Amino acid sequence: MGENIAALIGALPLVGEGVWITIQLTIGGALLALLIAIGLGLLARFENIVLRGIARAVIEFFRGTSLVVQLFWFFFVMPQIGVELPAMFVGILALGLNYGAYGAEVVRGSINSVPSGQWEATTALSMGSAQRMWRVIFPQAWALMIPSLTNLLIQLLKGTAIVSFITLADLTYATDKLRNSTDTFFAYGVSLIIYFVIAYALTLIMNALEVHAKHKLGRGESLREALSFRAPRSAGGKAGVS
Amino acid sequence: MTGLQWDWTMVWEALPELLLGFVKVTLLVTIVGSAIAAVLGLVIAIARRSAPKPIAAVLTFIVNFIRMTPIVVQLLFAYYLLLELDPVTIGVIIFGIHYSTYMAEVYRAGIDAVPAGQWEATTALSMSPTRTWVAVVIPQALRSTIPALGNYVISMFKDTPFLIAITVTEMVRAALVFGGNHFTYIEAITTAGIIFLIASYPTSLLIGRLEKRLAFSN
């Protein structure tokens, strides 16, 4: 065990770089995925059949073909048709497109489940369609979609583990190198724990986002209240049974 | 070299190898893996409900740990630990275990949706726990879970290329090998993607329809 720890400390710079690549891919991929999800999700609700058809085709295409196929397609095929892309860009692009397509369905579903009275109210107030979406409908849909987006974010993080096949030295790659100087069980144990910690941190951040989104809608406490150490409050706003 | 250079003869040449990888590994791992996941998931869901609290808490932690770590790393881990096992077998086991943690959540939701009155009735009839589960709860819980389980079977199917990590020659690896040998990746990788699309899209449509039908009849 002592040897393992020593080897781990020796390999720490490598592992650190691997973690950094994994985090860059996760954040880059997630931001691209969110943009694509909102864009396609809104487009898939259009009445115009051409726009809606395009959105549906793109969503089904990127959901239906595997992430690995997309990653390899961008990495191996694009250079052959004359487009050379850096590996990090390819990784973020494939992750963003794949999970963006999944996210689009989440966005569409959440917008559809905003109560119809809210839509009617925006008509009664004669709001424009853009104003209606960004000031009334989307903030409510956003609170609804965060739990599903959290699941997708964790999936995306786990999806990054494949990028060592397109020459990126991510955490999985660093684990494989660490395995040369420690035993397998130790190297992979460390790696799995690091992935778990990243995933857990992402979940906490997303939970905080959810609390914040609900507070802005007037449902539930503010983030600062939720994070402070004190007795939980009952629904009536008074202190619980004392 | 610029522009798309698509060569149909390459597609026909690659197709047998791709389909072989598809049938021999992709389908096999998906079918056997989902069978394992469906059974193990139900066991986990029941255990989390009926086991004593500390055991249930440990189980919950293990389930979350498996859910939140990459299947690629789990595959590699099992591969290096069990070098004497055939990689396809390892693939089936890891896919089964990984997806059982997701299916357990589906079952949990299904079990929670069984009305409390049904549980109370089994107590009133002094049924044994086994009989309660087998005769009353599981049949009612299963009905609403089938579409969601189907969705996980499809995602398992689309995850099978991760088996590349442990050198299993499934469809995508066959496409890569073919591409390397013929100095052209366009046809083989694109065809592999299209096969995935052809196989997964109709299935997800079918599940969507099933979901609607079950929702109406409830």
Side-chain angles (χ1 to χ4, degrees):
Chain A
M1 195 66 194
E3 291 162 32
N4 283 338
I5 302 280
L8 174 63
I9 291 169
L12 224 43
L14 181 75
V15 174
E17 271 169 45
V19 170
W20 177 230
I21 297 243
T22 295
I23 289 176
Q24 277 176 296
L25 279 163
T26 307
I27 293 174
L31 290 179
L32 180 61
L34 185 65
L35 273 180
I36 291 173
I38 294 175
L40 286 178
L42 290 177
L43 212 58
R45 296 189 65 267
F46 267 55
E47 265 177 51
N48 185 326
I49 189 139
V50 178
L51 290 179
R52 203 175 64 219
I54 292 171
R56 281 252 61 88
V58 174
I59 292 172
E60 295 304 344
F61 180 82
F62 284 101
R63 270 161 35 114
T65 55
S66 174
L67 167 68
V68 182
V69 177
Q70 289 156 22
L71 193 71
F72 286 178
W73 205 90
F74 287 127
F75 191 74
F76 291 104
V77 176
M78 291 296 261
Q80 293 199 336
I81 56 178
V83 187
E84 200 88 46
L85 299 169
M88 178 58 90
F89 185 82
V90 167
I92 290 177
L93 188 65
L95 289 163
L97 283 169
N98 189 266
Y99 289 100
Y102 281 98
E105 288 292 84
V106 174
V107 172
R108 192 180 59 88
S110 307
I111 290 176
N112 283 346
S113 46
V114 172
S116 57
Q118 298 287 329
W119 292 88
E120 289 155 14
T122 59
T123 312
L125 294 168
S126 56
M127 280 185 171
S129 57
Q131 200 186 12
R132 169 205 308 164
M133 185 51 73
W134 292 112
R135 304 208 59 157
V136 180
I137 305 299
F138 196 81
Q140 299 185 57
W142 174 241
L144 287 174
M145 66 180 83
I146 291 175
S148 303
L149 293 183
T150 309
N151 282 342
L152 284 180
L153 181 60
I154 305 300
Q155 303 266 49
L156 191 150
L157 164 69
K158 297 192 299 179
T160 63
I162 198 75
V163 296
S164 50
F165 284 87
I166 59 163
T167 69
L168 283 175
D170 72 324
L171 175 54
T172 307
Y173 174 85
T175 312
D176 197 50
K177 287 280 155 294
L178 181 63
R179 202 174 63 86
N180 293 333
S181 43
T182 66
D183 60 85
T184 303
F185 199 86
F186 181 83
Y188 278 96
V190 169
S191 161
L192 286 172
I193 291 169
I194 295 175
Y195 273 114
F196 181 71
V197 169
I198 299 174
Y200 199 73
L202 289 175
T203 311
L204 289 182
I205 293 170
M206 292 300 278
N207 287 352
L209 269 184
E210 192 184 349
V211 169
H212 176 71
K214 283 189 176 151
H215 179 65
K216 279 186 84 172
L217 296 174
R219 300 180 205 139
E221 54 199 2
S222 74
L223 193 54
R224 193 182 306 174
E225 284 173 300
L227 291 177
S228 62
F229 293 96
R230 45 140 189 78
R233 257 186 334 185
S234 65
K238 297 186 192 99
V241 183
S242 52
Chain B
M1 188 167 79
T2 48
L4 190 66
Q5 312 216 329
W6 182 268
D7 184 356
W8 280 104
T9 54
M10 283 293 171
V11 176
W12 298 126
E13 225 176 291
L15 206 55
E17 287 167 47
L18 297 186
L19 290 177
L20 189 71
F22 183 72
V23 175
K24 266 180 79 179
V25 181
T26 306
L27 284 186
L28 178 87
V29 171
T30 308
I31 293 169
V32 185
S34 31
I36 295 175
V39 174
L40 191 59
L42 186 59
V43 172
I44 294 173
I46 295 174
R48 277 174 74 175
R49 233 191 132 101
S50 15
K53 268 218 172 117
I55 297 176
V58 171
L59 199 61
T60 303
F61 178 77
I62 295 173
V63 164
N64 280 333
F65 193 86
I66 294 174
R67 277 164 65 97
M68 286 173 130
T69 50
I71 195 164
V72 176
V73 183
Q74 291 166 7
L75 282 169
L76 283 165
F77 194 14
Y79 176 67
Y80 289 121
L81 275 187
L82 311 164
L83 273 176
E84 67 275 17
L85 265 186
D86 165 49
V88 176
T89 312
I90 291 177
V92 166
I93 296 171
I94 294 295
F95 269 83
I97 294 176
H98 192 88
Y99 273 93
S100 75
T101 60
Y102 285 94
M103 291 194 179
E105 283 297 300
V106 175
Y107 287 122
R108 189 181 60 87
I111 293 168
D112 285 348
V114 173
Q118 299 286 326
W119 291 93
E120 288 155 13
T122 61
T123 315
L125 295 168
S126 54
M127 279 187 180
S128 71
T130 318
R131 218 174 129 62
T132 302
W133 281 106
V134 174
V136 179
V137 177
I138 292 177
Q140 296 185 69
L142 278 190
R143 223 166 79 104
S144 51
T145 56
I146 289 169
L149 293 184
N151 283 332
Y152 282 120
V153 173
I154 295 185
S155 24
M156 194 188 267
F157 169 70
K158 282 182 287 196
D159 275 357
T160 48
F162 286 147
L163 287 166
I164 288 176
I166 57 169
T167 70
V168 173
T169 306
E170 44 66 68
M171 183 167 55
V172 179
R173 190 175 144 97
L176 271 193
V177 172
F178 182 91
N181 290 341
H182 293 76
F183 307 105
T184 169
Y185 289 101
I186 304 178
E187 294 86 358
I189 295 183
T190 310
T191 308
I194 292 170
I195 294 177
F196 264 111
L197 195 61
I198 292 174
S200 64
Y201 183 56
T203 326
S204 69
L205 277 186
L206 210 68
I207 290 173
R209 193 156 296 177
L210 189 67
E211 211 154 342
K212 276 203 186 107
R213 264 192 62 176
L214 284 174
F216 277 137
S217 54
N218 267 339

